Amino acid sequence: MKIRRKYLFYALAFTSAIISAAVAALDATISSLYITDPWAFGVSCFIVGIFISLLILLIFSIPVKKGKSLGSKIIDPSFKRIRLVRKEEIKYHVLAGFGNAVLTIGYFFLLSMLGNDPSAVIPFAQIVILYLIIMESITEKNMPTLIEIQSSLIVTFGAILVSISLTGTITLQSMVIVFLVINPAWVLFSIYQRKLKMLKIDGRPNDALNIRFWNVAFACMFTIVIVGSYDLATGNNHFAAGITASIEHFWWVALSMSIIFFSYVFYIRALGIGKASITQAVRASTVLFAIPFSLVISYFNIIPPFTTDPVMILIKTIGTILVILGIVSFALNLLKAYVFINVKPGYPIEETMDKLWKIHGVTRVAAVAGPYDFIVKIRTRTLVKGYERIIRKIEEIDAIEEYKWQSVLKEWEKI
Amino acid sequence: MINAYVLTVMRTGNSDKAIKEMRKIENVEKISVVAGEYDIIIRVHVKSLDKLLKVTNELQMIDGVKKTTTQVIEKEIAL
């Protein structure tokens, strides 16, 4: 099936956001009623998570027709079957796994500090968009445009406003966890999962199902090391409490981890299509989806009742509008183009290819046989930026004889 | 595996129907409608040159396609 790439991206990111909001409410219930120790909850999540993720992966590895697996049919067309981690994946899995371990423990800490209300906790994690924009400008040679910065700030401030309403208090300790623990860890988690998704394994795009399973495995290893070291240093017994919680509340944690598995698989697939900051911005819509789930668990007295103060309701409404505006603004501003290039004789192809690849906004350089020598794919937020940052730079390359710009009006892609 | 771009010039008036036909071809990975010298850029992923010939032939048979130019990718760098 071929659908417009943009629709697929939004469908994946929104599905991930809805599932994530539902799981946050489930986590809040477990944290409030069964596993009150955030360290123990973190340990139990990953220990139970490994078994559950493995089981899901084995089910999706079942071959159906034409040699394709169940997972490839219904979840990710790149998936073949469960496999071991490849050598080239290890460093990315180590960093993404470490990020996941730290952010999960930080998340449960925040949840227990903010009265177990997911609609208050989830928005804080959206500040990661700002971190991601800074990181991407360094690692992906893709400087953010004014529109990207504006939209990210709108989403971030909106998310913060949505988070204030229920308890009405923000402590310094929770801010430290948000800015120095959860969000930097999320940057690692997100950037390196994207790198994994962009890798080619056996000539095919890497699949989200194996990436998720191995991420849980690496995160489990790091969680055990972090919690174990903390226990040794402080004389606490969180690790043992985590093992006990894994056994006593296995089915609750298993339910949470099996649902979140799909949220992350869709998130990883979206990461393979869009930049990490934009994927995160769309996924920030989870703050809106968290509200009805919070109302449900508040109705059952699992968390304190919602405020009826009109000022707080107004703040929450403004925050919600800002999040939606920010996401829409991201969605409507992306231009793509092909540039066909002919080169002069006497210049090495490899050298020209490297020069083209170094230009900001170039996402693909193909040396081709035919009437042209290179086909370059470009992504830019504005035409002005396309001229200033791309065309001018192409013209500066001596080897280039002539070029033709073809703006993309609409695009479909095989999924 | 062979990747190629098929640059297509269309006759006016038939693009929508032609794109629907192109989307049905199995080895077509991406279809981009563009503004410029060409009208549609198609990215194709095939196992052999024989298969590439078959796909380009299928594309040329679509009503509305006026001219195709195939550019086989020799080397590629992508994000």
Side-chain angles (χ1 to χ4, degrees), chain A residues 17-249:
Chain A
I18 296 168
I19 300 174
S20 182
V23 173
L26 183 60
D27 284 346
T29 308
I30 300 169
S31 164
S32 176
L33 301 177
Y34 306 111
I35 313 171
T36 49
D37 175 0
W39 293 91
F41 199 178
V43 171
S44 67
C45 266
F46 288 118
I47 289 177
V48 175
I50 282 198
F51 292 107
I52 293 301
S53 307
L54 181 64
L55 183 69
I56 295 172
L57 209 55
L58 287 172
I59 293 170
F60 283 129
S61 298
I62 296 170
V64 279
K65 58 179 180 180
K66 285 185 188 170
K68 286 193 170 180
S69 62
L70 187 64
S72 128
K73 276 271 177 203
I74 60 175
I75 301 286
D76 184 351
S78 313
F79 178 72
K80 272 177 104 174
R81 66 183 76 84
I82 184 169
R83 59 168 176 79
L84 292 173
V85 174
R86 299 293 163 87
K87 199 178 162 190
E88 63 268 29
E89 289 182 294
I90 291 174
K91 65 177 176 186
Y92 297 143
H93 268 306
V94 167
L95 290 160
F98 178 72
N100 193 3
V102 173
L103 88 88
T104 303
I105 295 170
Y107 162 74
F108 286 130
F109 246 103
L110 204 61
L111 200 60
S112 64
M113 282 170 73
L114 296 178
N116 286 316
D117 173 18
S119 77
V121 176
I122 289 176
F124 279 123
Q126 310 313 325
I127 298 163
V128 73
I129 298 163
L130 292 182
Y131 289 61
L132 284 171
I133 282 194
I134 297 165
M135 283 295 291
E136 276 167 1
S137 61
I138 300 165
T139 60
E140 291 195 7
K141 65 190 190 66
N142 204 343
M143 287 295 284
T145 60
L146 189 61
I147 294 163
E148 283 177 329
I149 295 169
Q150 277 173 352
S151 308
S152 302
L153 284 173
I154 291 172
V155 173
T156 308
F157 290 139
I160 292 172
L161 286 185
V162 178
S163 75
I164 297 171
S165 67
L166 229 182
T167 59
T169 54
I170 300 171
T171 63
L172 182 66
Q173 199 184 355
S174 66
M175 279 294 163
V176 169
I177 293 177
V178 166
F179 283 100
L180 301 180
V181 180
I182 294 183
N183 287 307
W186 194 291
V187 170
L188 275 183
F189 176 60
S190 173
I191 294 250
Y192 289 101
Q193 284 203 115
R194 177 168 153 77
K195 296 239 181 233
L196 282 163
K197 185 68 186 124
M198 305 306 271
L199 281 180
K200 293 258 180 192
I201 303 290
D202 300 331
R204 300 159 60 102
N206 205 352
D207 71 277
L209 287 158
N210 272 300
I211 294 175
R212 175 59 189 167
F213 170 69
W214 287 107
N215 180 262
V216 172
F218 276 83
C220 182
M221 189 179 75
F222 281 112
T223 306
I224 291 170
V225 171
I226 294 168
V227 178
S229 312
Y230 182 75
D231 280 357
L232 279 175
T234 58
N236 279 311
N237 236 342
H238 298 298
F239 183 70
I243 301 285
T244 313
S246 306
I247 299 162
E248 283 179 1
H249 307 292

Side-chain angles (χ1 to χ4, degrees), chain A residues 240-305:
Chain A
I243 301 285
T244 313
S246 306
I247 299 162
E248 283 179 1
H249 307 292
F250 178 85
W251 294 109
W252 278 109
V253 183
L255 180 65
S256 164
M257 289 309 286
S258 52
I259 303 173
I260 202 74
F261 181 91
F262 293 98
S263 168
Y264 280 112
V265 163
F266 293 134
Y267 174 62
I268 294 165
R269 282 199 65 194
L271 277 176
I273 300 174
K275 280 162 67 176
S277 57
I278 297 165
T279 311
Q280 197 60 45
V282 180
R283 203 172 176 268
S285 58
T286 194
V287 300
L288 312 180
F289 302 125
I291 297 170
F293 288 109
S294 282
L295 282 170
V296 170
I297 57 173
S298 154
Y299 178 78
F300 289 105
N301 291 324
I302 294 165
I303 59 169

Side-chain angles (χ1 to χ4, degrees), chain A residues 2 198 338 340 350 353 363-369 371-372 404 406-407 409-414, chain B residues 5 23 25-26 28-35 37-38 41 43 69 71-72 74-79:
Chain A
K2 288 175 195 75
M198 305 306 271
Y338 286 97
F340 300 135
E350 301 266 340
M353 202 168 180
T363 56
R364 192 181 282 272
V365 181
V368 289
Y372 303 101
K404 284 172 189 161
Q406 304 263 148
S407 293
L409 306 173
K410 204 169 176 181
E411 204 166 51
W412 290 265
E413 187 158 3
K414 196 173 189 176
Chain B
Y5 285 107
R23 288 169 70 182
I25 301 173
E26 201 187 330
V28 168
E29 287 236 306
K30 194 185 279 187
I31 302 165
S32 311
V33 179
V34 293
E37 192 180 325
Y38 300 97
I41 298 172
R43 192 179 162 102
T69 307
Q71 299 266 157
V72 178
E74 296 165 327
K75 191 180 175 184
E76 192 171 39
I77 317 173
L79 271 180

